[in-house]
Amino acid sequence: MTTPDTSKNVTWDELLESISTGAAHPDETNWKIFRYLQHNYKTMGSVMARTLLAAYMKLHVKRMSLIDSCMLGMAVNVSETYSDFKLPKFLEAWGYDRFLRPQDLRRQTGKDGRQYLSLKERVERALQSYMLHHPEENKEACDAIVSMYAAKVIEKETNGRKRRYVKLVARNGSEVLADSHQFPCRPWEICGRMFDVLRRVSKQGNERAADVVLSQKRVDEVFSVEVGYVDFVDENHGHIHVYDSQSRHFVALKSVHSALNITAGSYVRFCPIIANGDHFKWAAIVGVMDKYEGRNAFGVYEAKVEYANPKEKYIRYSLESAIKYTPEGNIIKGGFASTAALPDDVRNGIVIDSHVRLILFLKRGKDGIKHNYVAEVF
């Protein structure tokens, strides 16, 4: 059978006439449907494009043939143009991928010498994109789609033009940079939100964000939740400094968490956002805790008072609880703690050999070394 000339246009009347008697010449009709779609699918609208694909499917016989491969490629084009086209259902009815021809599995070289994706690769990419944009589908079945946290917006100037990039971090610590124009919101609305990201590998071998949509998942559905102590709220830089019981230091953006009443000394539930190989750690705060509950969840050290100076408002302590492991360094058994935050009667009641409870972690000092830091004495 001679392959029809796909460059020749088909009129609407010719198409209707062929479809009306299509059962008598299915291949000829399907070629006319293909040619009409080829020239008009971008402008005809979703309903008409879907109607013509449905007309093709009525005549379609599951087999390996050129017309069916061409129509599969056309379905990919329609899916990329119209989001309401149900590509997975079409693929199931078409018989994908059992009826792909050997040629459909190979990349093609164009007249310009460039290599183009195979039909199978095009279908797989279109299917990934469909899954990304249709949250009602099971995205977990697509490994290329990952829920990621937007940690930071980075502004770069190239050839005198400013561009914004977003640093996205996944639960496993992998990260990608995406152009801010890929996001379905304005640049200042991006940070602190969860996005579903379709990731692909570039020709240079680098992982990139091919497409981004707002995720329906909460950050604490994707990332683990820890208990942290808010050591400092930096109003000048808009940062909230959080430590966990392992002495790890995290930074949360104040603008992202403005709805929460977070102050220095608060205990919070937060998700650690840690990119592989990056010393900087972000915190996504999901709630403020009651102080009593927060202290117990964070972890309390029992200590004996070795020396007390109520006038200068400090004590020297010796830990009696087992010292916890911290990846940031070693907590030592003895040290000093301020009692300035305590009421006078409580402070005066702390004497040698009395016992206190401490909220303690390692914190970097002016010497650049991490030392015991007592956040609370009670």
Side-chain angles (χ1 to χ4, degrees):
M1 178 179 175
T2 304
T3 301
D5 182 5
T6 57
S7 64
K8 182 181 177 182
N9 205 348
V10 177
T11 67
W12 178 246
D13 289 338
E14 289 174 334
L15 180 62
L16 287 181
E17 182 180 352
S18 184
I19 290 175
S20 65
T21 58
H25 41 79
D27 274 2
E28 180 185 338
T29 299
N30 282 338
W31 275 115
K32 287 184 177 179
I33 292 173
F34 172 75
R35 285 154 55 194
Y36 191 86
L37 281 167
Q38 186 180 42
H39 289 90
N40 301 290
Y41 78 92
K42 289 183 179 180
T43 57
M44 66 171 51
S46 173
V47 173
M48 182 56 68
R50 288 185 282 122
T51 299
L52 291 179
L53 285 174
Y56 155 73
M57 289 305 304
K58 287 182 179 179
L59 302 172
H60 169 61
V61 177
K62 294 180 181 179
R63 59 182 176 171
M64 293 183 181
S65 70
L66 177 59
I67 178 56
D68 291 311
S69 294
C70 289
M71 288 302 295
L72 179 59
M74 181 55 62
V76 169
N77 294 340
V78 171
S79 178
E80 292 171 345
T81 306
Y82 304 108
S83 61
D84 57 353
F85 174 57
K86 304 294 185 182
L87 179 61
K89 289 186 177 180
F90 178 90
L91 296 179
E92 182 180 359
W94 188 91
Y96 182 80
D97 59 359
R98 289 176 293 131
F99 297 103
L100 289 172
R101 301 175 304 143
Q103 302 95 309
D104 300 333
L105 308 179
R106 297 193 295 265
R107 291 194 170 190
Q108 304 297 315
T109 302
K111 295 179 181 179
D112 55 4
R114 293 175 60 187
Q115 197 174 60
Y116 292 88
L117 295 177
S118 68
L119 177 58
K120 181 177 174 61
E121 287 174 313
R122 288 184 58 218
V123 173
E124 294 298 328
R125 288 196 171 194
L127 188 57
Q128 290 171 353
S129 182
Y130 176 90
M131 299 292 281
L132 180 72
H133 288 274
H134 292 79
E136 70 279 4
E137 303 286 355
N138 182 16
K139 291 182 183 178
E140 303 301 332
C142 184
D143 294 336
I145 299 174
V146 182
S147 296
M148 308 184 80
Y149 182 83
K152 185 179 182 181
V153 175
I154 303 165
E155 193 171 271
K156 293 184 179 180
E157 187 168 323
T158 306
N159 298 325
R161 184 179 179 183
K162 289 183 179 180
R163 296 188 66 178
R164 294 185 181 93
Y165 297 91
V166 181
K167 181 176 182 177
L168 294 152
V169 182
R171 179 188 174 92
N172 66 0
S174 62
E175 63 173 296
V176 295
L177 281 181
D179 193 298
S180 64
H181 291 102
Q182 292 179 269
F183 290 77
C185 51
R186 293 168 290 190
W188 54 90
E189 297 174 330
I190 294 174
C191 276
R193 303 178 80 170
M194 291 294 299
F195 295 91
D196 290 332
V197 183
L198 176 57
R199 302 189 299 186
R200 293 196 179 121
V201 178
S202 68
K203 292 180 180 179
Q204 293 74 31
N206 300 317
E207 196 170 53
R208 64 183 181 87
D211 201 357
V212 180
V213 299
L214 192 63
S215 179
Q216 293 187 334
K217 295 179 180 177
R218 302 189 313 271
V219 64
D220 55 343
E221 291 180 299
V222 177
F223 292 85
S224 62
V225 179
E226 306 284 344
V227 174
Y229 175 84
V230 177
D231 179 57
F232 177 55
V233 178
D234 185 348
E235 300 290 351
N236 291 331
H237 296 93
H239 289 167
I240 301 169
H241 294 267
V242 180
Y243 286 83
D244 69 0
S245 60
Q246 299 181 66
S247 301
R248 296 182 300 177
H249 177 207
F250 298 84
V251 174
L253 295 177
K254 191 172 186 297
S255 58
V256 171
H257 303 92
S258 57
L260 299 173
N261 184 25
I262 301 172
T263 60
S266 294
Y267 290 90
V268 295
R269 293 175 64 251
F270 77 100
C271 296
I273 312 295
I274 306 174
N276 296 331
D278 192 344
H279 72 280
F280 201 92
K281 302 175 180 68
W282 296 96
I285 299 173
V286 296
V288 179
M289 305 177 70
D290 169 78
K291 184 173 284 289
Y292 179 78
E293 178 191 7
R295 283 173 174 169
N296 288 331
F298 187 89
V300 176
Y301 278 99
E302 301 287 344
K304 181 180 178 181
V305 177
E306 302 287 348
Y307 174 76
N309 189 328
K311 184 177 181 181
E312 297 297 328
K313 302 178 181 178
Y314 74 90
I315 61 170
R316 186 173 73 242
Y317 63 85
S318 176
L319 297 179
E320 295 192 331
S321 300
I323 295 176
K324 302 169 187 173
Y325 163 79
T326 163
E328 303 296 312
N330 297 318
I331 292 174
I332 61 175
K333 188 172 182 179
F336 294 87
S338 171
T339 57
L342 295 174
D344 291 342
D345 59 333
V346 176
R347 184 187 309 113
N348 293 330
I350 299 177
V351 296
I352 295 174
D353 291 335
S354 62
H355 288 77
V356 292
R357 307 182 80 195
L358 309 176
I359 297 297
L360 182 151
F361 47 85
L362 294 175
K363 184 177 177 182
R364 197 175 305 280
K366 293 181 180 179
D367 58 1
I369 300 173
K370 289 199 168 186
H371 304 276
N372 282 24
Y373 174 77
V374 177
E376 280 195 274
V377 179
F378 55 98

